[in-house]
Each structure stands twice: as structure tokens, then as C-alpha cells.
Amino acid sequence: MQMAIDQAHRQNVSSLFLPVIESVNPCLILVVRRENIVGDAMEVLRKTKNIDYKKPLKVIFVGEDAVDAGGVRKEFFLLIMRELLDPKYGMFRYYEDSRLIWFSDKTFEDSDLFHLIGVICGLAIYNFTIVDLHFPLALYKKLLKKKPSLEDLKELVPDVGRSMQQLLDYPEDDVEETFCLNFTITVENFGATEVKELVLNGADTAVNKQNRQEFVDAYVDYIFNKSVASLFDAFHAGFHKVCGGKVLQLFQPNELQAMVIGNTNYDWKELEKNTEYKGEYWAEHPTIKMFWEVFHELPLEKKKQFLLFLTGSDRIPILGMKSLILVIQSTGGGEEYLPVSHTCFNLLDLPKYTDKETLRSKLIQAIDHNEGFSLI
């Protein structure tokens, strides 16, 4: 990133003396409208040169005054991923039991959108931003050129994964008679069922004790590879356009996953311990003590919503709660004012409330309205 910035600065200096050299922005600028965030992002990223992906990302929402010091970027990733993963596009299949998603081989969307999602995931990692992606570990294995396994099928489709394990563990010799399987898979196709062969002449090849491991391997390969090959290839190309290179190979799949989506090892006492204070506040100030009493009494979902309100994500960085530093500062006005977050800096403006119920009411009101930017 620093090399890309330095190169842009060198080009800009040269342009002062040589008019044939154009000046360039040292940042990758995305100007998007909230109501057309996917279309606008695609339009800009389609025209973006490869070298520009290595620059720091700055996002501008049309009609909003916020300067992006990190917070606007966080909301951009939140909103665009929410939009792209919306069922209306039909790009991904949602698995109820695991609450995870995987590429849908029945989508009508072209590969450009999958390429865009890959770019967005790459940009998120590259710009130190956690995004809310409910993919299984298999996605990160494939990005690192590792093969998904039966364990990945168990994560994505638990009931099918368990059935496959039962097939492998069955101790008797009458596998063919007991399970009555052949080398096919039945898939839904817009309300109708369709039978796909996993190997050549799969419909005529019965699963028995000798070939059951081959059947399971072929089933896993179909779900994670064959059925979605072109879609994943587009995603892979977009991701590697930003994050490709030798450094990526240093990661294990679970580490790469944690870089993208953070983790949920919440330790709220650790969060309180690491919080810093500015202005009139210190750890023992009556309003601060009251704030933490109210916060620890909130249900888990409201606590996560507070993280989203203040940091732009309800998950925590790969290094855990100890690496998440919040700052609370006193603010003028009176008790009728709401707390205000500055997501770029994980900074909370907290009015000097004098009673617990007012603080609770104002805090919940604030975190329930956590989208958009305006000048205070």
C-alpha cells in the first residue's frame, strides 16, 4: 500500500514538470449512492487499474458530508455485502441448519457480480475492515488452493454430512442393500428435482463397501467444486486481484477467515478494561460507572449492536477484544442529547447523564439508528 502511495506521489511530482504525465489520486476513491451502491461500485471498480487496488480505499456517499477516515469505509462494506448477499439476486444458497451460504449454481446473475464480491472481500482485508460474510471454512480453503473435505460438508449441510459419515462408519458388508445409493446427487431446480451423475455412468454404479469413500469424495467435490466452478473462479479472480501474492500463502484457512470476518470471542469486561477516556471523563466518573452498569445489563444482541454502532462491525478483530480500543469523551449539551459515535476512531461522545434510565433510553435509541453520516 505504501509503495502504491509513493508511486502516485512520484507521478504527481513529475506531472508538475512534465505536462504529458497525468496527476493521480494516491487513494482508490469510490463515489456511491446508497440507493444504487452495487451498480455504482461495479462501475468504478470495472474501470479501476490493477495498481489502484493497492492504494488505500476512501468511500464517499453522494449527498453526505462525512470525510472517510475509516468509518464511511466500514459502512460501505456492511451495506454492499448486505445488498450482494440479498436473496433477490439468487447468487447464494442459504442453508437453514448451519445459517451459512454457498454459491448457487442456479443463479441468473453473470460472473461480474461474483468477481465484484471477490474484489470487495479482498479490499476489506487489504483495508483492515471486518465484513459480515457467512461462508463456511471451505471458501477460505479454496482461496488458498486447499481441497474441501467431509468436515466442510458437515459444517455447511450438517444432516447430509452426518449421513455421509454414517455411510463410511457402517460396519457390515451389506452397504449396497442397506443404503441403496448410486453415484448420483439429487438437486432442486426451481421447484423440480434433477438427478446429476457424480461420475461417468453414475446412475448405474451402486455404492458399496469398497467404493463408498469414492462416493463421499465425489459428493463433496460436486458441492464445493464442480457445481460452482465458473462462479468461484470469478470470485477467486476478484479476490486475488487485490490480495494475491506470496504473503497470502502464509495463512491457514481459519486465519484467513478470521481476517475477513473477525471473531465472536466476546469478553465485555476486557472491553471495559481497555477503554480510554477523554475530556472530563475518567474510569471512576459517575457517568462512566453508570454507562458500564447499563452496558453490562444489555442483552447480547444489544451489546453486539453497540459494537456495530461504534466500530462499524459487530465482530471483533482477529487478535481479540484486547486489540479493540474504545474511547469515550464527554460532550456538551444536556441530557436530551443522544450519544454520538465516530466509527473512524471507535470514539463515543457521551453526554453527562445523571440517571441510569435516561442513559439506558438514550443509548438504546442511538444504537437502534446506526446507519448514515452527518455533521454534528
Side-chain angles (χ1 to χ4, degrees):
M1 187 181 286
Q2 190 58 51
M3 288 170 63
I5 294 171
D6 292 344
Q7 182 175 333
H9 285 321
R10 284 195 299 272
Q11 185 169 332
N12 290 340
V13 171
S14 299
S15 70
L16 296 175
F17 304 100
L18 299 171
V20 293
I21 298 178
E22 294 183 8
S23 61
V24 294
N25 199 307
C27 297
L28 170 58
I29 306 295
L30 279 183
V31 181
V32 295
R33 294 165 291 174
R34 283 181 181 270
E35 64 273 15
N36 191 36
I37 192 168
V38 172
D40 289 349
M42 280 191 70
E43 186 67 24
V44 176
L45 294 173
R46 191 182 284 120
K47 299 174 182 176
T48 299
K49 299 175 183 176
N50 284 355
I51 184 61
D52 291 332
Y53 285 113
K54 303 301 183 184
K55 297 175 180 177
L57 177 65
K58 298 287 183 184
V59 178
I60 299 170
F61 283 112
V62 174
E64 299 185 24
D65 300 315
V67 176
D68 188 7
V72 184
R73 184 178 68 225
K74 290 177 185 177
E75 180 155 7
F76 164 75
F77 283 118
L78 174 74
L79 295 178
I80 195 167
M81 292 314 301
R82 182 189 299 169
E83 181 75 9
L84 286 169
L85 301 181
D86 193 296
K88 72 183 180 185
Y89 287 101
M91 297 170 64
F92 298 96
R93 179 179 173 185
Y94 177 73
Y95 291 86
E96 195 75 40
D97 288 349
S98 62
R99 298 181 180 177
L100 295 172
I101 59 173
W102 191 244
F103 300 87
S104 171
D105 58 340
K106 301 297 184 294
T107 182
F108 291 114
E109 300 296 340
D110 60 30
S111 59
D112 279 358
L113 273 179
F114 290 93
H115 185 271
L116 174 63
I117 295 178
V119 169
I120 294 297
C121 289
L123 285 172
I125 290 181
Y126 195 68
N127 289 273
F128 323 110
T129 307
I130 292 170
V131 290
D132 189 21
L133 282 181
H134 297 281
F135 281 111
L137 185 62
L139 176 79
Y140 306 95
K141 284 187 174 182
K142 284 170 67 65
L143 285 172
L144 296 172
K145 299 181 179 177
K146 297 179 186 293
K147 287 178 62 175
S149 66
L150 176 56
E151 292 306 309
D152 297 300
L153 186 65
K154 290 178 185 177
E155 182 189 14
L156 181 64
V157 201
D159 55 340
V160 175
R162 285 193 295 269
S163 298
M164 293 293 168
Q165 190 64 60
Q166 288 170 0
L167 171 66
L168 294 176
D169 294 341
Y170 187 69
E172 307 299 331
D173 293 329
D174 59 341
V175 169
E176 187 173 340
E177 296 77 12
T178 301
F179 290 90
C180 301
L181 294 170
N182 55 24
F183 276 70
T184 61
I185 181 173
T186 303
V187 296
E188 281 192 23
N189 192 356
F190 301 107
T193 56
E194 188 177 349
V195 176
K196 300 272 190 180
E197 291 191 323
L198 298 175
V199 297
L200 187 65
N201 300 320
D204 300 321
T205 307
V207 176
N208 54 44
K209 190 169 185 178
Q210 287 70 43
N211 65 17
R212 56 185 172 180
Q213 184 65 60
E214 295 171 36
F215 169 72
V216 171
D217 291 344
Y219 196 104
V220 170
D221 183 56
Y222 180 85
I223 295 294
F224 289 114
N225 300 317
K226 284 185 180 177
S227 64
V228 297
S230 61
L231 308 180
F232 179 79
D233 286 347
F235 177 93
H236 182 275
F239 182 86
H240 279 265
K241 185 176 282 188
V242 184
C243 281
K246 294 181 179 178
V247 172
L248 198 63
Q249 302 308 315
L250 298 175
F251 284 91
Q252 292 297 320
N254 60 323
E255 294 169 339
L256 184 59
Q257 182 181 45
M259 284 290 293
V260 176
I261 66 172
N263 67 62
T264 54
N265 300 322
Y266 300 114
D267 183 342
W268 305 112
K269 289 293 184 183
E270 184 76 19
L271 182 70
E272 177 182 357
K273 187 173 76 174
N274 292 334
T275 297
E276 299 173 356
Y277 304 97
K278 288 186 174 182
E280 299 178 36
Y281 287 153
W282 73 97
E284 297 301 315
H285 188 282
T287 300
I288 294 299
K289 291 177 73 173
M290 198 160 45
F291 168 81
W292 287 112
E293 285 177 21
V294 167
F295 178 81
H296 289 304
E297 290 169 3
L298 293 175
L300 176 60
E301 284 307 311
K302 283 297 177 189
K303 288 176 180 172
K304 290 165 63 177
Q305 205 173 335
F306 171 78
L307 278 186
L308 178 62
F309 166 70
L310 189 55
T311 71
S313 173
D314 64 359
R315 300 177 71 94
I316 53 180
I318 185 172
L319 296 177
M321 218 54 131
K322 64 184 178 185
S323 64
L324 184 61
I325 307 298
L326 307 186
V327 181
I328 302 178
Q329 68 180 9
S330 57
T331 183
E335 297 198 57
E336 69 274 14
Y337 286 86
L338 295 172
V340 174
S341 70
H342 305 270
T343 53
C344 304
F345 312 106
N346 298 346
L347 173 63
L348 180 69
D349 289 344
L350 185 67
K352 292 190 281 292
Y353 300 114
T354 55
D355 70 89
K356 210 168 159 181
E357 285 313 308
T358 301
L359 194 156
R360 187 194 315 275
S361 171
K362 295 294 184 182
L363 180 62
I364 290 174
Q365 188 180 346
I367 65 178
D368 282 343
H369 300 83
N370 56 27
E371 289 186 9
F373 293 87
S374 59
L375 294 180
I376 305 301

